Amino acid sequence: MIAYSLAESTSVVASTIGFDLGALRDGFWTLTIQGLAYGSIYALVAVGYTLVYGVLRLINFAHSEVFMLGMFGQYIGLMLLGFRPQGDVWSEGTLMTIAYLLLAGLIGMAVSGTTAVGLEFVAYRPLRKRNAKPLAFLITAIGMSFVLQEFVHYVLPKVPTDPRLGGSSPQPAIKLVQPTEQFTVFGASVTNVILIIVIAAIGLAVGVDFLINRTRLGRGIRSVAQDPEAALLMGVSRERIIMVTFLIGGLLAGAAALLYTLHVPSNVVYYGGFILGIKAFCAAVLGGIGNVRGALLGGLLLGVMENYGSVVFGNQWKDVVAFALLILVLMFRPTGILGEKLGKARV
Amino acid sequence: MTNSDPTVPVAAAAPRRGVGDAIRSWWDRQSRPAQWGVGVVAFAALALLPVLDPPLISTTATDFGATMAQFAMVALIAIGLNVVVGQAGLLDLGYVGFYAVGAYVVALLTSPASPVWNSVDHGIFSGPWAWLACIPLAIVITGITGVILGTPTLRVRGDYLAIVTLGFGEIVRLLADNLKEVTNGPAGLQGVLFPELGTSADKPDGVFSVQNNDRINSGIWWYWLALLLVVIVLLFVGNLERSRVGRSWIAIREDEDAAEIMGVPTFKYKLWAFVIGAGIGGLSGAVYAGQVQYVDPKAFTVINSMLFLCAVVIGGQGNKLGVIVGAFIIVYIPARVQGIEVGGQSLGDFKYLFFGLALVALMIFRPQGLFPARARLITFGRQVYAAAQRVGDAARRDPGPPGEGGDPVVGAQKEVTS
Amino acid sequence: MTHRFPDDPREPARPVWQPPGTGSGADGVADGIHQVVESPTEQVAEVLADPLATTVVDPVAIDPALADPELVAEVVAPQRDIVTAEGDALLQVRDLTVEFGGLAALSDVSFDIRRGEILGLIGPNGAGKTTCFNAITGVYTPTRGTVSFDGEPLRKLKRHKITRKGIARTFQNVRLWGEMTALENVCVGTDARHKTSVWGATFRTPRHYREERDAVDRGMALLEFVGIAARATEKAANLPYGDQRRLEIARALATEPKLLCLDEPAAGFNPSEKSALMGLIKKIRDDGYTVLLIEHDMRLVMGVTDRIVVLEFGRKIAEGTPREVRDNPAVIAAYLGVPDDEIV
């Protein structure tokens, strides 16, 4: 009887996983374009995870909250610029729109950058000074993640603003840009929102890659990531590099927050960063943790795969796709796509 | 032990002793019957607490019995999570997922709203023994989930395990929310069955039903049941601790590679820790389902995982009794202050914020928690340690001149015989 | 196959585990790790309880068979069914090559470790000693070449299985489990030979009790053997450095190895401690273990080893008795260099 009910429930669960390849074929290019847009956002957030991991061997769980606070930052920025949830800005022309976007984005980036650096100072540096075990870092990271979430959830609403910031429900959306189709690619429509996202992301990605690979600062980061002691002997200040790493990750997350809110204006809420952070981390692992180009590639790949999965398996399984991909990567190629195989040492 | 004053250092060789050590050495000096006596009295006091309902301690805004029942369930969770995090050193951030699976197994099998329930003849899963019959199934299924989750992820670094389990915890809630055909979605499953004991004319459903609102209400009955389960689980976990399994877990936690090189099959034991933790979480979920008699996805948010982790960290990682105290703290304090309002918000709502901060502060200032783990990891620990301690004390009392090869221990042994 | 111990003219019969200070050995420490096996824990506790006791536990009185050292060895280490005969090659390294990327840390190294000997592995810094050591103990997988142990090749076995095969090691930087006591550290080593399952441990089967007794007995005996029994209940992290190193050796011995590999065991010791260590290593060999030793201290290596293998730049440049190696011009050149006028 038990076996029968188990079989029943398994078949019920299985039946909810529709396997619809036809829908994938029909909407392929739309899905791909959409996926690239989401993927760009994942990519920018993933760089933050991968940089901190490379330098500290630590998964900064609270990075998702850095992103979330970036969203609130740009929302505040827009409010300071005079925008309110009703009304759209596109009527004022492209140039002004871009100017407002940049300003709001800068405020968002400032907030998230400050959060990231604050995290390092308040939570991680004291632990490093005390030679804490790696487990302690992870526990602190998750603790800070939820502290930041709950701060926005319960404390921020006490600040008198109009409209109320924080709280249990998402902020009423401030729509900056009306998604209008600019052109089509193989029948898939490319809106101005998607264009802005992809172009901005490409610009930032190129900038970060240049920073890491061609500048002195980037060399410092790479050297500390490879061998902190040797870097120290070469005159590289480890603590300063760590702070800069967090800052870069935070700034990128702030930019990603702006782009995300353009696409999905109604998700500015205290839990808005959580799932996205997990997915971005999956993207970083997919591409090869510690590898910046890997994070970018992984983000794009994840965005696209997730979108495909949502039509092939059904929308309720969308978030599971990233998770399943992560498990597959961990099982078969833990170093990721662009990751290098370290020496055969097992110690 | 040779010096009864805990604040004066015994000798250069012995470490400074604090209050905790003084209590512990007092406890160790008691004979077995005395220890049992103290334990039984303390247990009885704890069990009777909600019945007596003392005014200062009792919670004002919520039912004290229900709060204590919740404490006992979280204590179960804390013990299970302690095995995974505290002993084996595996950071599981999605423990609430196992809790949810256990609760849903019971709900799916016994609730009239369950799609599964409706499609089969329920046999043993209806009627007074339904809940009890579900318990082993809940434990086993949750354990299997643990195996499925652990097998791919325990082979890689611990950090990945943390994020995978975090994702798992959230995914379980999302699935419960979205798979309406299976779990009835956000509407939840009501009418979950419970043990129908103590039925009488005015209590047709027994003392465990939510209808029971006497002085000894259903909350208190569930509290006693959960306490019983806590004791049983403690016995099993204690057995494991004082065996090769417990030793291997601590070795894995301290230095996994050295453990592997010393012959410990690390993957096997990590998986066992994970599965045992999962099973205990599932048990607690089953108790929860029976007590509240309604299961919906809102109760299983991932932030509760952080709270459970908090219980383990505050209480003392690796200390199975300490984490019970941690569970009490995270359940009782928010319930006690629930009535007090600050800025229009009940203080109890701030618990996540407060305990998150506590977690961070603890990791910096007192990572070992309130009660650091000092468990003996050998079965005959008591006798052996007492005897070995006497040898050591004798050597320390008369440290002879350095013997051959500069070995002070050898010298001490020489000295002792002369 | 029975074990044969090297003939020792000093004493005909091995003393059994005795309370500290009452042994016939000059230093008061047990001379061997043989122990009485009848009702062990009560005896252990009784003996531990009264260190001043003058009663000597006489094994022969309890079981006459225990007068035979070979039999005792069978009892003490029943898992050590060594196929290789005394004097034959226990570990064979053939054409061992380990490459990391393009760098060859070891090239075509071949040598044998014979059963019952102490073999030293020396060479200047960067010679590849640690790499060779790690390849033998299963930490690195060789790029080419084979390592055969006790007649079987060591393929890609999991490390804990290699330990069960009979290779144990210590670490250059002591890697004890600091939160556990010394006795518990050694007990984890004994667990390598135990068969209790998780179910057995949960439900306390008779086998579990048997093996726990065995763990404690052998654990205490081993601590006694290396000389730190008085500190059995102290946390490993609190032990002084010398005792930590001894504890590591005891823990490695607890896994009942056929081959004991010591990685720079004398690092950080002063001369008198090094002498004590030499005595301990000899004692270990006399008890029937084979020892592989990496060491920088020449006096220790020359004084304690039976044979030496010398590596330089990943290749073997000499092999032989200490005297032969000491006089070998290639070895001298490797360590001290050649006079300028002799450079080709």
Side-chain angles (χ1 to χ4, degrees):
Chain A
M1 185 256 151
I2 297 177
Y4 182 73
S5 63
L6 275 177
E8 266 286 320
S9 27
T10 318
S11 73
V12 169
V13 172
S15 70
T16 68
I17 311 178
F19 202 74
D20 192 354
L21 281 176
L24 177 63
R25 194 184 51 235
D26 293 335
F28 183 73
W29 286 108
T30 318
L31 290 171
T32 311
I33 303 285
Q34 289 268 342
L36 284 175
Y38 273 112
S40 318
I41 297 170
Y42 294 152
L44 292 176
V45 182
V47 171
Y49 281 109
T50 215
L51 276 179
V52 171
Y53 190 86
V55 163
L56 281 181
R57 297 287 180 272
L58 160 73
I59 304 180
N60 181 11
F61 287 122
H63 195 57
S64 49
E65 272 50 62
V66 169
F67 172 82
M68 182 268 296
L69 284 171
M71 284 203 293
F72 274 91
Q74 62 90 34
Y75 192 84
I76 292 174
L78 288 175
M79 277 179 17
L80 288 175
L81 288 173
F83 293 102
R84 287 293 176 267
Q86 64 283 346
D88 315 308
V89 80
W90 56 81
S91 49
E92 304 203 22
T94 327
L95 219 57
M96 289 305 291
T97 312
I98 294 184
Y100 287 132
L101 281 176
L102 273 176
L103 275 174
L106 282 173
I107 298 181
M109 282 163 79
V111 170
S112 56
T114 317
T115 313
V117 174
L119 263 178
E120 150 68 5
F121 270 118
V122 166
Y124 301 134
R125 182 167 292 199
L127 285 179
R128 278 207 307 280
K129 282 213 166 66
R130 288 169 169 79
N131 283 324
K133 294 198 298 193
L135 199 62
F137 283 91
L138 291 174
I139 294 179
T140 303
I142 197 74
M144 282 309 295
S145 171
F146 286 115
V147 163
L148 290 172
Q149 277 190 37
E150 289 303 301
F151 170 78
V152 172
H153 190 179
Y154 283 120
V155 177
L156 205 53
K158 304 281 177 279
V159 177
T161 51
D162 171 41
R164 262 302 107 117
L165 281 176
S168 311
S169 350
Q171 306 295 122
I174 297 181
K175 296 203 201 62
L176 267 189
V177 182
Q178 165 93 337
T180 47
E181 181 176 307
Q182 305 297 311
F183 53 86
T184 63
V185 171
F186 294 113
S189 111
V190 176
T191 66
N192 49 357
V193 170
I194 293 181
L195 266 184
I196 295 176
I197 291 178
V198 173
I199 292 176
I202 291 178
L204 285 166
V206 167
V208 159
D209 194 70
F210 180 80
L211 180 72
I212 295 292
N213 289 317
R214 302 284 170 90
T215 65
R216 192 159 150 258
L217 179 66
R219 263 205 305 282
I221 294 179
R222 280 181 290 140
S223 67
V224 171
Q226 280 199 18
D227 190 338
E229 277 162 17
L232 207 63
L233 292 171
M234 292 297 122
V236 177
S237 159
R238 183 167 181 242
E239 294 299 312
R240 209 169 72 87
I241 290 286
I242 292 175
M243 204 184 66
V244 168
T245 310
F246 273 93
L247 183 66
I248 296 176
L251 292 175
L252 284 175
L258 173 70
L259 297 175
Y260 183 68
T261 326
L262 271 181
H263 201 38
V264 186
S266 53
N267 210 23
V268 183
V269 67
Y270 75 93
Y271 53 79
F274 185 62
I275 275 278
L276 196 133
I278 295 184
K279 290 186 194 172
F281 178 74
C282 295
V285 173
L286 185 61
I289 194 92
N291 185 328
V292 171
R293 287 186 185 165
L296 298 169
L297 178 65
L300 290 174
L301 206 60
L302 185 70
V304 169
M305 301 257 60
E306 184 186 65
N307 241 15
Y308 293 160
S310 72
V311 289
V312 171
F313 297 111
N315 207 31
Q316 63 240 48
W317 297 99
K318 180 174 183 181
D319 288 333
V320 187
V321 169
F323 185 62
L325 264 179
L326 176 68
I327 299 219
L328 283 174
V329 165
L330 287 180
M331 280 173 71
F332 296 113
R333 200 184 152 92
T335 45
I337 298 178
L338 295 186
E340 294 136 346
K341 284 202 173 118
L342 297 171
K344 304 273 193 144
R346 293 189 268 169
V347 147
Chain B
M1 295 233 179
T2 53
N3 183 343
S4 53
D5 183 350
T7 56
V8 173
V10 175
R16 289 269 315 266
R17 291 167 176 275
V19 174
D21 286 314
I23 297 180
R24 195 168 290 109
S25 36
W26 167 82
W27 179 256
D28 288 336
R29 273 198 293 272
Q30 308 305 311
S31 65
R32 263 281 187 229
Q35 284 188 349
W36 271 102
V38 173
V40 167
V41 169
F43 184 75
L46 198 62
L48 289 175
L49 198 59
V51 178
L52 302 173
D53 222 2
L56 264 182
I57 301 183
S58 172
T59 60
T60 43
T62 53
D63 173 40
F64 194 39
T67 308
M68 294 303 275
Q70 199 193 4
F71 149 60
M73 280 184 282
V74 176
L76 262 182
I77 290 179
I79 296 173
L81 190 57
N82 180 48
V83 167
V84 181
V85 178
Q87 296 197 290
L90 309 166
L91 187 57
D92 183 345
L93 292 176
Y95 201 71
V96 76
F98 297 133
Y99 185 57
V101 169
Y104 265 100
V105 165
V106 171
L108 283 173
L109 284 172
T110 60
S111 159
S114 150
V116 176
W117 196 94
N118 279 326
S119 33
V120 297
D121 167 33
H122 8 287
I124 199 176
F125 294 110
S126 59
W129 296 109
W131 184 83
L132 264 176
C134 287
I135 293 275
L137 209 58
I139 298 180
V140 165
I141 292 184
T142 324
I144 294 177
T145 319
V147 173
I148 295 175
L149 191 62
T151 312
T153 48
L154 286 172
R155 297 185 197 273
V156 293
R157 286 174 58 99
D159 323 16
Y160 294 129
L161 179 74
I163 203 136
V164 167
T165 49
L166 187 65
F168 166 72
E170 182 66 6
I171 297 280
V172 165
R173 190 189 64 80
L174 280 174
L175 289 182
D177 222 9
N178 288 333
L179 294 179
K180 296 186 180 48
E181 304 87 353
V182 178
T183 61
N184 214 20
L189 299 163
Q190 83 285 8
V192 176
L193 292 181
F194 43 86
E196 286 175 28
L197 296 174
T199 53
S200 58
D202 46 315
K203 283 207 270 283
D205 285 329
V207 290
F208 287 99
S209 158
V210 286
Q211 315 293 340
N212 176 3
N213 282 316
D214 295 352
R215 163 107 184 155
I216 303 187
N217 61 8
S218 66
I220 298 184
W221 280 100
W222 279 104
Y223 172 51
W224 288 338
L225 178 63
L227 267 188
L228 185 66
L229 288 174
V230 165
V231 169
I232 296 175
V233 168
L234 274 179
L235 282 173
F236 281 130
V237 169
N239 276 355
L240 280 172
E241 221 171 62
R242 281 185 299 272
S243 70
R244 65 176 305 192
V245 183
R247 289 197 284 275
S248 303
W249 282 340
I250 306 290
I252 292 173
R253 184 191 74 193
E254 294 288 304
D255 190 336
E256 187 178 333
D257 289 316
E260 177 98 15
I261 290 176
M262 287 301 137
V264 174
T266 49
F267 178 71
K268 179 173 124 170
Y269 281 128
K270 283 202 290 188
L271 194 58
W272 265 112
F274 208 64
V275 169
I276 290 173
I280 298 177
L283 174 64
S284 181
V287 174
Y288 168 77
Q291 190 219 342
V292 182
Q293 281 138 40
Y294 170 67
V295 170
D296 80 331
K298 278 192 288 297
F300 305 118
T301 49
V302 167
I303 202 169
N304 284 315
S305 275
M306 186 216 69
L307 221 51
F308 300 152
L309 187 64
C310 222
V312 171
V313 169
I314 290 180
Q317 293 178 56
N319 186 333
K320 60 186 184 295
L321 293 178
V323 299
I324 297 180
V325 176
F328 184 76
I329 290 177
I330 68 162
V331 170
Y332 175 71
I333 292 185
R336 183 73 184 83
V337 301
Q338 184 76 19
I340 307 171
E341 296 233 331
V342 168
Q345 195 88 43
S346 162
L347 255 189
D349 288 339
F350 286 101
K351 67 180 174 191
Y352 296 114
L353 179 65
F354 174 69
F355 283 120
L357 285 169
L359 201 58
V360 176
L362 268 173
M363 278 292 113
I364 299 178
F365 298 114
R366 198 180 158 92
Q368 68 270 32
L370 281 176
F371 301 100
R374 300 283 183 95
R376 311 229 190 282
L377 301 172
I378 307 179
T379 299
F380 299 103
R382 221 163 184 269
Q383 304 137 271
V384 172
Y385 273 88
Q389 191 75 24
R390 268 171 276 165
V391 172
D393 288 339
R396 265 191 290 278
R397 238 181 284 131
D398 297 301
E404 63 141 35
D407 186 345
V409 173
V410 173
Q413 290 164 342
K414 246 202 247 177
E415 198 54 35
V416 156
T417 64
S418 54
Chain C
M1 276 228 140
T2 53
H3 311 292
R4 297 193 320 274
F5 294 89
D7 288 337
D8 193 45
R10 284 178 300 147
E11 48 214 346
R14 298 273 164 215
V16 292
W17 190 82
Q18 294 168 358
T22 56
S24 59
D27 56 3
V29 179
D31 288 329
I33 63 166
H34 313 269
Q35 47 192 333
V36 181
V37 288
E38 292 294 322
S39 50
T41 310
E42 289 82 346
Q43 290 229 350
V44 168
E46 177 194 283
V47 157
L48 281 174
D50 191 358
L52 299 180
T54 50
T55 50
V56 174
V57 178
D58 184 6
V60 181
I62 292 167
D63 185 351
L66 288 174
D68 181 358
E70 290 181 19
L71 214 58
V72 172
E74 285 273 342
V75 167
V76 164
Q79 317 275 352
R80 283 195 300 161
D81 301 316
I82 304 187
V83 169
T84 320
E86 184 80 21
D88 283 353
L90 180 64
L91 184 91
Q92 293 181 311
V93 177
R94 291 281 173 272
D95 305 318
L96 184 63
T97 308
V98 179
E99 288 171 9
F100 297 115
L103 179 70
L106 276 185
S107 308
D108 297 318
V109 173
S110 302
F111 61 90
D112 288 349
I113 304 182
R114 297 189 199 134
R115 182 161 153 217
E117 73 169 351
I118 302 179
L119 182 82
L121 189 59
I122 67 174
N125 280 327
K129 306 187 295 294
T130 310
T131 312
C132 184
F133 195 84
N134 284 334
I136 290 173
T137 55
V139 172
Y140 293 158
T141 350
T143 320
R144 272 191 302 282
T146 55
V147 178
S148 304
F149 182 69
D150 208 14
E152 284 179 44
L154 274 188
R155 265 179 286 264
K156 285 190 180 198
L157 279 182
K158 278 194 164 174
R159 274 173 300 177
H160 69 263
K161 291 222 168 70
I162 291 180
T163 305
R164 272 166 217 232
K165 284 255 170 258
I167 302 181
R169 66 169 288 176
T170 62
F171 299 93
Q172 193 174 340
N173 42 334
V174 171
R175 286 174 80 161
L176 295 169
W177 299 302
E179 291 300 307
M180 296 165 73
T181 63
L183 180 58
E184 285 162 5
N185 266 273
V186 180
C187 284
V188 176
T190 64
D191 285 336
R193 296 291 177 193
H194 289 164
K195 292 193 177 46
T196 309
S197 64
V198 175
W199 298 109
T202 319
F203 296 106
R204 295 286 158 104
T205 54
R207 164 184 275 161
H208 161 84
Y209 281 116
R210 218 174 25 245
E211 291 184 345
E212 287 290 306
R213 263 198 200 98
D214 172 62
V216 171
D217 290 334
R218 268 200 299 127
M220 284 305 298
L222 279 164
L223 289 176
E224 183 67 44
F225 179 64
V226 300
I228 57 173
R231 295 187 183 257
T233 55
E234 283 187 34
K235 271 217 282 204
N238 294 338
L239 295 176
Y241 180 72
D243 288 356
Q244 284 184 344
R245 284 215 165 267
R246 286 164 181 271
L247 178 57
E248 265 220 326
I249 294 176
R251 185 179 67 174
L253 286 175
T255 62
E256 292 185 66
K258 303 167 189 171
L259 172 68
L260 177 67
C261 303
L262 303 174
D263 193 351
E264 304 210 18
F269 278 2
N270 63 41
S272 58
E273 286 168 333
K274 283 187 185 173
S275 301
L277 182 70
M278 281 169 66
L280 181 61
I281 296 177
K282 284 207 179 109
K283 218 164 50 168
I284 292 172
R285 190 269 307 274
D286 292 344
D287 244 31
Y289 297 97
T290 311
V291 180
L292 170 67
L293 181 65
I294 294 186
E295 192 40 71
H296 278 300
D297 183 325
M298 280 306 130
R299 193 178 76 84
L300 189 127
V301 170
M302 297 291 165
V304 87
T305 56
D306 297 324
R307 286 191 315 129
I308 298 179
V309 168
V310 187
L311 296 181
E312 187 196 20
F313 297 130
R315 293 183 185 279
K316 184 176 84 172
I317 60 171
E319 181 178 356
T321 63
R323 173 148 301 156
E324 289 167 12
V325 164
R326 204 178 50 198
D327 296 333
N328 185 317
V331 176
I332 296 173
Y335 273 98
L336 297 175
V338 231
D340 283 340
D341 50 356
E342 283 180 40
I343 295 180
V344 175

